[in-house]
């Protein structure tokens, strides 16, 4: 069968090997090709900016934002709009051409920096895609780094939206992108660059954490309604808190309610959002259930970032996108960094729709980011010292549609009663509505927020290490059993490796982009492992008596 594309950047890639006909995510071959080309020209631009910095030149924030936005556009499930991606390629080529003239020695730059966009873009995309790197191990490491940088770009882009920048992160991101074009780098060089990517992943996460908390306050323990009201509603999905803030401001007094969906749930934990009377709650479940659940929401849906599932015709006219997100035939609301977006069309649309259909009632509790958990530190430490809490289990990461992900629900149910789950990301939808109880008033599921809030889990671990006077973070009573799906999970993994965390279990499958040799390096140096059966993993993590709870 003819191969019309190749992509293996997400966990659900076909056969855990690679999508070659059409993406499991719904991405068509022509869109995949333009995404490959956008990554290529962005690497070329990054080679130019890296050379300019070496000359002592200043690279503007606008150029830095262009790079991060480009990478974010190519994250799984973010943008399916070929025309929008092509527009970004054209803009990138124009910016690169303007900067190229400032390079002292353009002849030393890679071909990606010199390509001017001439010729067939489709043929060029075929020549520069993932498989253009012939050596399997070099290719594996280049893609691991690139996917980590895509995740880092997401953190940077969200911080940029709140007018926060980190020039060091931007410079590294571009330097590392350019390095993936360098045929002179060895496997050892690329392994070192992989860990360096994790280092800047921590820095990028800290930047976003500071941006969010300085703007919206520290998340606090919050009960979130999962039912619906009687007014027309707008459902907001994705991760961009600034988009949500602008929408809430513009819906005041309109009679339109606003609900979060999937990864936007943790917005309810921030004090600044709790002042809006029409911010009703969180509606529906994880991102992958869109096609079966969004239709009955009845009102319009705003996708602020990735996690778009190709919409059914029955609600496609109600799906709006903004930022790096896009889908052909759906209305896109424009607006760049620092610009105020106009959501009036979305609000007017909502007014004409019936209220959401209720599919469940109740509340879920979250808001356990690092500031809130550290405020409870004395209580937590005492629970550990007394034996009331035996272990913490980090079950952060992503949810997805694969049946194998039911493992995480069953794993959570089977956990001994003296364990507490630390989570961030949409992986929580596999267990955050289970009645797992508490330990001395401490809930057994501590939700720190979005995948963007994974930094909190690192801060909590480091603080516990300090409190218990431990030399090694791996001596903490913490087990890591992480579900991954897309590229933000990759940068979280690399950040944990940089911090020295070992014996991380990753599932439901190991990434297809890890070659056997690269996987061996991760296993031997960091103890990376996959998952087994729930019963076997219980014994592995908690011993033969795990089932006794």
């Amino acid at each position: 069968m003819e191969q019309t594309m190749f992509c293996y950047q997400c966990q659900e890639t076909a056969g855990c090997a690679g999508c070659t006909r059409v993406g499991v995510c719904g991405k068509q071959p022509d869109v995949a090709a333009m995404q490959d080309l956008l990554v290529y020209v962005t690497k070329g631009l990054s080679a130019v900016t890296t050379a300019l910095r070496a000359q002592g030149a200043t690279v503007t924030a606008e150029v830095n934002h262009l790079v991060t936005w480009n990478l974010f556009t190519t994250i799984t499930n973010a943008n399916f709009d070929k025309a929008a991606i092509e527009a970004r390629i054209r803009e990138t080529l124009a910016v690169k051409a303007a900067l190229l003239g400032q390079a002292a020695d353009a002849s030393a730059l890679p071909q990606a920096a010199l390509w001017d966009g001439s010729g067939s873009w489709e043929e060029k995309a075929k020549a520069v895609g993932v498989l253009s790197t012939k050596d399997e191990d070099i290719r594996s490491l280049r893609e691991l780094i690139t996917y980590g940088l895509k995740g880092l770009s997401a953190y940077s882009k969200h911080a940029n939206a709140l007018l926060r920048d980190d020039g060091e992160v931007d410079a590294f991101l571009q330097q590392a992108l350019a390095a993936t074009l360098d045929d002179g780098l060895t496997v050892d060089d690329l392994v070192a660059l992989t860990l360096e990517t994790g280092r800047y992943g921590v820095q990028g996460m800290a930047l976003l954490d500071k941006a969010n908390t300085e703007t919206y306050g520290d998340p606090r323990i919050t009960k979130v309604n999962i039912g619906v009201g009687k007014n027309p509603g707008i459902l907001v999905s994705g991760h961009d808190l600034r988009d949500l803030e602008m929408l809430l401001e513009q819906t005041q007094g309109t009679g339109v309610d606003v609900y979060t969906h999937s990864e936007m749930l943790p917005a309810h934990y921030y004090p600044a959002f709790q002042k809006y009377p029409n911010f009703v709650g969180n509606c529906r479940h994880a991102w992958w259930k869109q096609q079966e659940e969004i239709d009955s929401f009845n009102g319009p849906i705003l996708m602020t970032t990735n996690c778009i599932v190709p919409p059914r015709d029955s609600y496609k006219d109600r799906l709006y996108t903004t930022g790096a997100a896009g889908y052909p035939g759906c209305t896109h609301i424009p607006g760049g960094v620092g610009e105020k977006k106009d959501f009036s069309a979305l609000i007017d649309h909502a007014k004409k729709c019936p209220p959401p259909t209720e599919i469940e009632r109740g509340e879920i509790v979250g808001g356990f980011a690092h500031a809130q958990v550290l405020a409870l530190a004395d209580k937590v430490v005492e629970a550990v010292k007394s034996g009331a809490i035996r272990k913490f289990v980090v079950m952060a990461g992503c949810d997805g549609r694969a049946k194998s992900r039911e493992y995480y629900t069953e794993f959570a149910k089977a956990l001994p009663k003296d364990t507490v789950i630390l989570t961030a990301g949409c992986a929580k939808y596999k267990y955050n509505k289970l009645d797992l109880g508490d330990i001395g008033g401490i809930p057994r599921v501590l939700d720190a927020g979005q995948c963007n809030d994974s930094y909190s889990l690192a801060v909590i671990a480091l603080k516990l290490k300090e409190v218990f006077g431990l030399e090694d973070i791996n001596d903490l009573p913490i087990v890591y059993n992480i579900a991954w799906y897309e590229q933000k999970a990759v940068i979280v993994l690399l950040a944990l490796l940089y911090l020295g965390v070992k014996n991380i279990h990753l599932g439901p499958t190991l990434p297809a982009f890890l070659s056997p040799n690269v996987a061996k390096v991760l296993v031997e140096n960091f103890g990376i492992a996959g998952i087994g059966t729930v019963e076997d993993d219980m014994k592995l993590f908690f011993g033969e008596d795990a089932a006794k709870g």
Side-chain angles (χ1 to χ4, degrees):
M1 188 175 290
E2 181 186 1
Q3 179 172 308
T4 56
M5 61 175 283
F6 186 81
C7 180
Y8 62 178
Q9 69 174 0
C10 85
Q11 186 275 322
E12 289 184 356
T13 193
C16 199
C19 294
T20 59
R21 297 286 293 170
V22 66
V24 170
C25 65
K27 180 170 60 180
Q28 297 301 309
D30 59 341
V31 173
M34 290 304 101
Q35 287 190 355
D36 286 346
L37 193 58
L38 179 56
V39 171
Y40 177 73
V41 299
T42 304
K43 289 181 176 182
L45 172 59
S46 296
V48 175
T49 59
T50 299
L52 292 179
R53 286 191 178 94
Q55 295 172 200
T58 298
V59 177
T60 66
E62 289 75 18
V63 173
N64 292 335
H65 296 166
L66 175 63
V67 171
T68 55
W69 199 306
N70 284 357
L71 289 186
F72 200 3
T73 298
T74 68
I75 281 180
T76 302
N77 289 335
N79 201 306
F80 297 78
D81 191 337
K82 181 183 178 183
I85 296 168
E86 289 175 333
R88 299 208 66 81
I89 293 172
R90 283 190 289 272
E91 181 182 2
T92 305
L93 288 169
V95 170
K96 179 165 65 68
L99 294 177
L100 196 55
Q102 302 174 29
D105 183 10
S107 65
L109 293 170
Q111 176 59 34
L114 304 177
W115 184 60
D116 62 3
S118 58
S120 166
W121 283 14
E122 289 73 16
E123 292 303 314
K124 187 67 175 179
K126 290 179 183 178
V128 301
V130 171
L131 298 179
S132 62
T133 300
K134 301 306 179 186
D135 183 282
E136 182 182 32
D137 297 330
I138 296 293
R139 178 171 68 240
S140 177
L141 287 164
R142 283 178 171 178
E143 295 308 306
L144 175 57
I145 292 164
T146 299
Y147 302 153
L149 296 173
K150 287 187 180 189
L152 179 54
S153 76
Y155 294 115
S156 293
K157 195 271 181 185
H158 289 306
N160 298 158
L162 297 175
L163 305 182
R164 306 301 202 282
D165 292 84
D166 186 326
E168 287 186 1
V169 170
D170 287 319
F172 169 78
L173 192 151
Q174 292 160 39
Q175 175 192 341
L177 272 182
T180 64
L181 299 167
D182 187 348
D183 292 330
L185 297 183
T186 66
V187 166
D188 289 342
D189 294 330
L190 292 171
V191 169
L193 183 58
T194 299
L195 291 181
E196 191 77 349
T197 302
R199 172 191 166 192
Y200 282 94
V202 174
Q203 191 166 326
M205 291 177 193
L207 171 69
L208 179 56
D209 180 78
K210 184 177 181 181
N212 284 341
T213 55
E214 286 183 348
T215 305
Y216 303 117
D218 285 312
R220 57 195 182 194
I221 300 173
T222 303
K223 292 181 179 179
V224 181
N225 171 42
I226 57 174
V228 299
K230 297 181 179 180
N231 295 327
I234 296 172
L235 190 64
V236 187
S237 196
H239 309 75
D240 200 300
L241 297 179
R242 176 59 182 143
D243 285 338
L244 175 63
E245 180 183 30
M246 287 187 282
L247 179 64
L248 284 168
E249 289 170 348
Q250 293 174 42
T251 53
Q252 295 311 295
T254 65
V256 174
D257 289 338
V258 175
Y259 299 81
T260 56
H261 173 256
S262 190
E263 277 281 65
M264 195 60 84
L265 160 65
H268 292 277
Y269 311 156
Y270 289 93
F273 289 107
Q274 295 175 4
K275 68 183 180 182
Y276 295 101
N278 65 328
F279 194 32
V280 174
N282 189 73
C283 198
R284 295 351 191 209
H285 300 97
W287 66 270
W288 59 275
K289 285 194 168 186
Q290 285 170 52
Q291 289 188 340
E292 62 184 90
E293 292 185 347
I294 281 186
D295 209 354
S296 65
F297 179 77
N298 301 326
I301 307 98
L302 176 65
M303 301 297 304
T304 64
T305 61
N306 57 315
C307 294
I308 297 174
V309 175
R312 291 179 174 173
D313 290 341
S314 56
Y315 66 86
K316 184 176 180 180
D317 67 320
R318 292 190 277 120
L319 186 69
Y320 290 72
T321 63
T322 192
Y327 197 87
C330 295
T331 301
H332 185 80
I333 296 173
V337 173
E339 296 179 357
K340 185 175 181 179
K341 298 180 181 181
D342 181 2
F343 290 111
S344 57
L346 183 66
I347 297 167
D348 288 342
H349 192 159
K351 291 177 179 178
K352 301 171 186 175
C353 297
T357 300
E358 187 171 78
I359 64 172
E360 61 181 342
R361 293 182 182 181
E363 294 177 327
I364 48 179
V365 180
F368 295 93
H370 58 88
Q372 181 65 83
V373 173
L374 296 184
L376 302 172
D378 290 345
K379 190 174 184 179
V380 171
V381 170
E382 178 55 36
V384 173
K385 288 182 176 179
S386 70
I389 294 178
R390 183 183 1 172
K391 283 187 179 180
F392 296 93
V393 185
V394 174
M395 292 179 67
C398 316
D399 198 6
R401 67 201 116 205
K403 186 174 177 60
S404 56
R405 288 180 181 271
E406 293 176 5
Y407 161 92
Y408 294 101
T409 302
E410 297 307 313
F411 185 88
K413 289 179 180 178
L415 281 171
K417 304 300 183 185
D418 54 2
T419 58
V420 172
I421 295 172
L422 299 176
T423 191
C426 60
K428 62 176 158 277
Y429 281 95
K430 280 288 182 275
Y431 45 78
N432 68 341
K433 295 174 185 176
L434 299 177
D435 184 12
L436 298 180
D438 64 85
I439 299 175
I442 301 170
R444 289 191 58 227
V445 177
L446 301 182
D447 176 21
Q450 300 177 338
C451 55
N452 290 356
D453 300 310
S454 297
Y455 176 72
S456 275
L457 304 184
V459 172
I460 292 167
L462 291 171
K463 183 63 178 178
L464 289 175
K465 173 175 172 277
E466 176 188 327
V467 169
F468 287 112
L470 301 174
E471 293 294 324
D472 188 342
I473 196 171
N474 296 292
D475 291 335
L476 284 168
I478 299 179
V479 169
Y480 293 84
N481 195 9
I482 296 175
W484 83 283
Y485 182 83
E486 44 89 355
Q487 296 75 61
K488 290 191 289 296
V490 175
I491 193 60
V492 171
L493 173 64
L494 298 185
L496 290 174
L497 296 184
Y498 168 73
L499 291 172
V501 176
K502 294 185 177 181
N503 302 318
I504 296 171
H505 288 252
L506 198 62
T509 59
L510 292 179
F513 52 80
L514 295 181
S515 69
N517 286 333
V518 171
K520 184 179 179 182
V521 169
L522 294 177
V523 170
E524 292 180 348
N525 290 280
F526 302 101
I528 294 291
I531 60 172
T533 65
V534 170
E535 182 179 2
D536 287 347
D537 286 348
M538 283 293 147
K539 292 177 181 178
L540 175 67
F541 295 139
F542 305 105
E544 291 294 331
D545 63 340
K548 299 177 183 178

